[in-house]
């Protein structure tokens, strides 16, 4: 059980004391999410990460890069090179899941994740920021101390409760996520009218069956809008109550689990809900973990036997330092002080970054961190939690990839070459292969991103002609059927907007016609 620390300092620490078993589950859940993310992304190795895809490395460097970023994935323009990096990331994430060389696996997973996210920022979403920060703080957490392969080579810990600057950073990071999400939602539809979810469920490119069931009920949507807003604004305070910590944490975990379950059933948000579920596991109190331990105790021998088959490999090199005497307790305390000081400084930086983001104390110069914002981009501790903020996007619609064949027929590449028709599809969300493509299509609409449009158009032309069964095209238009969301269930007349035109060179058209 978690030890109750006496005195004022002990009471102050209580909200930040975590169970080592909860941290182990946090490690496993984070690793599982990374593996799922890699599996989904791997279906678009060429499209999203290679030079033949929608974002070649030169375009990335010119339009979507800062001089402080790094990416191993940007070192190759070939999908085969990307495949090697994906396999490496999956292997490292597997080691993290098992708690095998945990610290090294955590650092390597963080480097590879940052590299992957930096390679294509046009498909990123808010959950990516959270996943990245979980790994970053995990570098400083003992989340491999129990329930891991590494733990078999060490004596059992004397106690399961743990406190450090990293546990403070983890709890504060979760609070910042929800506080900033709420503070950035400063539009009237969130704070006064209660129409935000009505507009969110009006977006056909996001709407799932669960949302369709709720959409016809305006009073319920208004209630849920205010419920979501005040949950995000007020619930994080429960993380800092120093009395009855276990009960407050159960409340937070239960509410947030249900909150993100509801989101996942109503709106197409990709892995966002899974990442948020994973992030709150570290909050589980000892009584919940005791129940889990009893529940799964029968499986423990089987897991230990399986872990025992892992080879006890060592690094291919070894650095041996001679010491005149073994490390003292004072020396170990010194290392911990240095580590905790570093974590505290980074946490302060993250707090100021978020304060700048919500414009609480942003001066005309661009924010308190303007001179050192490069640090956030270098270590990717930058973050933005503006989900549906300050108001919900109103420009809804669907894409038609309007291809004209050499014989004059007009086909829709978005529907496998069927004849073009401009009526709204029964399920707009079904037009997207995965949420990465949905996010890409959202960024494709913005005028500031007009530079990215020809790359996508020409990519579509190329992959269409790779299939000899397809009719050759001479021209392709990326068309957006824009449908603005209106109040009171009114629907605007869709308008046809051509976002990009591209065509094959005359020589290619001639060879295709032959």
């Amino acid at each position: 059980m978690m030890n109750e620390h006496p005195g004022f300092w002990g009471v102050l620490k209580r909200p930040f004391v975590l169970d080592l078993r909860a941290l182990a589950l946090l490690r496993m859940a984070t690793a599982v999410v990374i593996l799922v993310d890699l599996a989904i992304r791997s279906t678009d190795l060429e499209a999203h990460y290679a030079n033949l895809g929608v974002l070649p490395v030169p375009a990335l460097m010119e339009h979507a890069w800062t001089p402080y970023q790094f990416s191993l994935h940007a070192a190759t323009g070939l999908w085969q090179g990307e495949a090697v990096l994906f396999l490496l990331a999956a292997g490292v994430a597997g080691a993290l899941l098992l708690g095998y060389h945990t610290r090294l696996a955590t650092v390597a997973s963080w480097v590879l994740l940052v590299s992957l996210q930096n390679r294509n920022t046009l498909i990123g979403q808010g959950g990516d920021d959270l996943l990245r920060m979980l790994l970053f703080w995990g570098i400083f957490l003992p989340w491999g101390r129990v329930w891991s392969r590494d733990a078999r080579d060490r004596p059992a810990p004397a106690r399961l409760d743990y406190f450090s600057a990293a546990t403070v950073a983890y709890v504060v990071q979760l609070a910042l996520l929800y506080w900033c999400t709420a503070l950035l939602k400063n539009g009237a539809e969130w704070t006064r009218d209660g129409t935000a979810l009505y507009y969110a469920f009006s977006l056909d490119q996001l709407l799932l069956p669960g949302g369709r069931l709720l959409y016809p009920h305006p009073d319920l949507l208004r209630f849920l809008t205010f419920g979501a807003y005040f949950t995000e604004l007020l619930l994080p305070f429960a993380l800092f109550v120093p009395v009855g910590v276990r009960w407050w944490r159960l409340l937070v975990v239960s509410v947030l689990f249900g909150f993100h379950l509801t989101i996942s059933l109503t709106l197409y948000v990709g892995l966002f809900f899974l990442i948020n579920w994973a992030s709150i596991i570290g909050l589980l109190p000892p009584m919940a973990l005791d129940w889990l331990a009893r529940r799964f105790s029968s499986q423990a021998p089987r897991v230990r036997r399986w872990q025992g088959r892992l080879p006890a490999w060592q690094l291919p090199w070894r650095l041996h330092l001679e010491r005149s005497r073994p490390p003292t307790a004072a020396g170990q305390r010194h290392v911990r002080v240095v580590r905790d000081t570093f974590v505290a400084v980074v946490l302060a930086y993250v707090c100021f970054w978020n304060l700048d983001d919500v414009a609480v104390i942003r001066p005309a110069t661009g924010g308190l961190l303007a001179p050192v914002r490069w640090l956030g981009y270098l270590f990717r501790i930058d973050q933005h939690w503006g989900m549906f903020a300050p108001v919900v996007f109103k420009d809804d619609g669907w894409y038609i990839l309007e291809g004209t064949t050499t014989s004059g027929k007009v086909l829709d590449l978005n529907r496998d070459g069927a004849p073009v028709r401009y009526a709204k599809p029964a399920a707009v969300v079904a037009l997207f292969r995965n949420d990465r493509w949905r996010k890409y299509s959202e960024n494709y609409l913005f005028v500031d991103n007009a530079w990215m449009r020809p790359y996508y158009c020409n990519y579509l032309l190329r992959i269409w002609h790779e299939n000899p069964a397809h009719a050759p095209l001479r021209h392709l238009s990326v068309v957006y059927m824009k449908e603005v969301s209106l109040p009171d269930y009114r629907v605007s007349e869709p308008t046809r907007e051509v976002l990009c035109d591209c065509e094959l060179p005359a020589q290619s058209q001639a060879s295709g016609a032959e």
Side-chain angles (χ1 to χ4, degrees):
M1 295 293 290
M2 185 181 299
N3 185 47
E4 298 292 335
H5 301 274
F8 176 76
W9 175 240
V11 172
L12 199 63
K13 288 166 57 176
R14 284 178 188 168
F16 310 106
V17 177
L18 302 177
D19 194 295
L20 290 175
R21 296 168 296 177
L23 292 177
L25 292 177
L26 176 64
R27 180 199 81 237
M28 297 177 199
T30 302
V32 167
V33 171
I34 293 173
L35 289 169
V36 173
D37 184 36
L38 287 170
I40 294 173
R41 288 178 182 262
S42 67
T43 61
D44 297 301
L45 279 181
E46 183 180 78
H48 288 163
Y49 309 104
N51 282 348
L52 289 177
V54 299
L55 185 60
V57 171
L60 168 71
M61 297 296 182
E62 182 179 357
H63 299 285
W65 193 260
T66 73
Y68 312 109
Q69 291 177 246
F70 69 89
S71 176
L72 299 175
H73 289 264
T76 175
L78 302 174
W79 72 263
Q80 293 90 341
E82 295 297 324
V84 171
L85 289 170
F86 268 67
L87 288 173
L88 177 61
V92 171
L96 181 64
L97 173 63
L98 298 173
Y100 190 48
H101 294 273
T102 307
R103 190 80 64 189
L104 178 61
T106 305
V107 174
S109 290
W110 175 77
V111 170
L112 289 166
L113 181 67
V114 169
S115 295
L116 181 60
Q117 292 181 358
N118 284 348
R119 174 58 183 89
N120 193 339
T121 57
L122 302 175
I123 58 175
Q125 44 113 319
D128 294 328
D129 288 359
L130 180 56
L131 182 58
R132 193 173 62 242
M133 293 309 300
L134 287 177
L135 271 179
F136 180 82
W137 298 126
I139 295 173
F140 308 99
L141 288 169
W143 59 3
R145 187 64 184 87
V146 299
W147 293 355
S148 68
R149 174 63 177 82
D150 293 344
R152 296 191 61 194
D153 302 325
R154 302 179 61 183
R159 52 195 303 166
L160 293 173
D161 55 324
Y162 178 81
F163 169 83
S164 71
T167 63
V168 177
Y170 163 70
V171 174
V172 172
Q173 180 69 78
L174 293 181
L176 287 172
L177 160 62
Y178 293 100
W179 276 333
C180 293
T181 297
L183 293 173
L184 287 167
K185 291 173 178 171
N186 51 26
E189 60 195 44
W190 283 107
T191 60
R192 187 189 64 203
D193 302 335
T195 56
L197 285 186
Y198 160 76
Y199 285 114
F201 291 164
S202 297
L203 297 173
D204 293 296
Q205 56 189 283
L206 288 176
L207 190 63
L208 293 179
R212 290 185 184 276
L213 293 176
L214 300 177
Y215 184 61
H217 307 286
D219 292 336
L220 177 59
L221 292 181
R222 190 170 187 272
F223 171 79
L224 292 175
T225 295
F226 289 128
Y229 176 75
F230 286 106
T231 294
E232 294 170 340
L233 184 64
L234 300 178
L235 187 65
F237 286 102
L239 294 174
F240 302 97
V241 179
V243 180
V245 173
R246 59 181 180 176
W247 299 110
W248 288 113
R249 285 192 184 163
L250 279 178
L251 172 68
V252 170
V253 171
S254 301
V255 171
L256 291 181
F257 181 86
F259 180 72
H260 289 289
L261 176 62
T262 303
I263 292 175
S264 71
L265 295 175
T266 55
L267 295 171
Y268 187 42
V269 292
L271 293 181
F272 182 74
F273 73 101
L274 280 181
I275 298 171
N276 281 272
W277 278 351
S279 71
I280 59 177
I281 288 179
L283 298 174
L284 288 174
M287 59 182 182
L289 294 159
D290 291 339
W291 180 85
L292 285 173
R294 290 193 301 269
R295 183 87 174 176
F296 296 101
S297 59
S298 60
Q299 302 298 321
R302 181 181 304 175
V303 173
R304 283 195 292 269
R305 284 196 302 271
W306 193 83
Q307 286 181 333
R309 298 173 185 172
L310 295 173
W313 62 271
Q314 300 293 331
L315 292 172
W317 48 267
R318 177 177 296 179
L319 179 64
H320 183 68
L321 299 177
E322 294 290 340
R323 290 178 178 269
S324 58
R325 61 186 66 179
T328 62
Q332 293 176 341
R333 284 196 301 269
H334 177 73
V335 171
R336 178 165 181 168
V337 167
V338 171
R339 182 189 64 206
D340 284 357
T341 301
F342 174 78
V343 171
V345 170
V346 175
L347 177 60
Y349 181 94
V350 166
C351 290
F352 279 116
W353 182 287
N354 281 282
L355 286 172
D356 273 356
D357 199 36
V358 298
V360 173
I361 53 175
R362 180 182 297 167
T365 55
L368 291 178
L369 295 177
V372 289
R373 288 184 77 84
W374 60 269
L375 189 66
Y377 300 124
L378 177 62
F379 291 102
R380 289 311 314 269
I381 52 177
D382 61 301
Q383 47 199 266
H384 177 66
W385 310 115
M387 282 72 82
F388 294 118
V391 295
V392 178
F393 200 49
K394 303 299 188 303
D395 290 350
D396 193 20
W398 64 96
Y399 280 89
I400 297 175
L401 305 178
E402 196 176 88
T404 304
T405 69
T406 53
S407 61
K409 294 181 179 179
V410 183
L411 311 176
D412 185 1
L413 275 60
N414 213 14
R415 296 190 299 115
D416 299 321
V420 165
R421 54 185 177 86
Y422 295 98
K424 181 191 292 187
V428 174
V429 72
L431 297 176
F432 303 110
R433 185 186 306 172
N434 54 54
D435 186 58
R436 299 295 175 185
W437 278 112
R438 187 205 62 78
K439 190 64 180 180
Y440 179 85
S441 71
E442 180 182 307
N443 282 320
Y444 199 83
L445 294 173
F446 300 136
V447 176
D448 290 344
N449 290 336
W451 60 267
M452 65 189 269
R453 293 175 180 175
Y455 294 105
Y456 179 52
C457 194
N458 285 288
Y459 166 76
L460 291 171
L461 269 179
R462 183 181 63 79
I463 62 172
W464 176 263
H465 287 108
E466 285 180 353
N467 188 338
H470 288 161
L473 302 179
R474 60 178 173 83
H475 182 270
L476 176 64
S477 295
V478 179
V479 176
Y480 188 65
M481 299 299 295
K482 182 177 178 179
E483 186 181 65
V484 179
S485 301
L486 301 174
D488 302 321
Y489 295 92
R490 289 181 288 123
V491 180
S492 68
E493 189 69 24
T495 58
R496 179 180 181 274
E497 296 187 356
V498 179
L499 301 181
C500 188
D501 284 300
C502 58
E503 50 188 70
L504 287 179
Q507 183 179 0
S508 298
Q509 290 184 32
S511 61
E514 293 173 3

